[in-house]
């Protein structure tokens, strides 16, 4: 093993769960494929999407994008670095 090589090959990823009332996010360290260790959640955040009495889809979309932005900003406050990949999970109605 070289003194310049790193034995840790973890990869930082961002995960967003986008629902009808909230956007949740997490920064996760994924171990390399050869490792037997499990992923490690290092930071989580969420932002609510404001409730609307009368649904206007354009406004709903705007509020969802604003919630993603707020969640991402909260996740960057930990200064863990930039994720290499971003995964998004979409719930109904998206």
């Amino acid at each position: 093993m070289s003194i310049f090589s790193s034995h840790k090959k973890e990869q930082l990823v961002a995960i967003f769960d986008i629902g009808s009332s909230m956007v949740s996010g997490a920064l996760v360290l994924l171990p390399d494929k050869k490792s037997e260790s499990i992923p490690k959640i290092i930071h989580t955040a969420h932002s609510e999407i404001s409730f609307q009495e009368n649904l206007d889809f354009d406004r709903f979309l705007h509020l969802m994008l604003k919630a993603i932005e707020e969640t991402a900003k909260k996740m960057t406050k930990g200064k863990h670095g930039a994720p290499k990949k971003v995964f998004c999970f979409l719930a109904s109605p998206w």
Side-chain angles (χ1 to χ4, degrees), residues 1-71:
M1 180 191 330
S2 168
I3 62 171
F4 298 108
S5 68
S6 172
H7 63 282
K8 286 193 172 188
K9 299 288 184 186
E10 297 171 321
Q11 183 178 38
L12 183 67
V13 299
I15 300 172
F16 290 93
D17 179 22
I18 303 168
S20 61
S21 64
M22 181 182 298
V23 173
S24 300
L27 288 174
V28 179
L29 277 177
L30 297 179
D32 74 354
K33 294 177 183 177
K34 297 176 185 174
S35 172
E36 292 185 16
S37 61
I38 60 174
K40 180 181 177 186
I41 299 170
I42 59 171
H43 192 85
T44 62
H46 71 276
S47 299
E48 293 186 14
I49 298 173
S50 302
F51 177 76
Q52 299 180 78
E53 283 290 330
N54 299 316
L55 182 63
D56 173 1
F57 192 78
D58 289 336
R59 173 118 174 97
F60 189 41
L61 177 63
H62 171 75
L63 292 171
M64 184 269 293
L65 293 172
K66 184 178 173 186
I68 291 174
E69 182 178 0
E70 289 173 9
T71 302

